[in-house]
Amino acid sequence: MATQNSTFAETTEICERCDESTPHDVTIEIQTESKKQENTEFSREPYRVTECMECGETTAKRMNDA
């Protein structure tokens, strides 16, 4: 069974709510942007989602913005 060292798993970023550098949980999620039911498979985009481990503030940023 694989184990993960928490020092490598934590990402430290600036939290706007805490106004300091805090540990964050960072994930990549595929989100559907279309509100229509038809052709939703063509409106999926990857987002970088971060959650502050201190205050719980969550932000999502679209990764394909060019």
Side-chain angles (χ1 to χ4, degrees):
M1 181 173 175
T3 60
Q4 191 174 35
N5 186 338
S6 65
T7 57
F8 294 111
E10 281 186 357
T11 301
T12 304
E13 296 188 8
I14 298 292
C15 175
E16 291 182 15
R17 182 183 284 175
C18 295
D19 199 29
E20 63 181 298
S21 185
T22 58
H24 280 68
D25 183 28
V26 180
T27 58
I28 303 298
E29 296 179 3
I30 303 298
Q31 297 182 5
T32 302
E33 296 179 333
S34 176
K35 304 217 186 307
K36 300 177 188 176
Q37 289 296 327
E38 54 199 43
N39 297 328
T40 57
E41 64 270 17
F42 299 111
S43 69
R44 295 186 201 143
E45 295 291 338
Y47 279 77
R48 183 178 188 270
V49 180
T50 61
E51 179 182 359
C52 177
M53 303 310 288
E54 298 290 323
C55 71
E57 175 80 5
T58 302
T59 58
K61 179 174 171 130
R62 186 177 183 207
M63 296 180 64
N64 287 346
D65 284 341

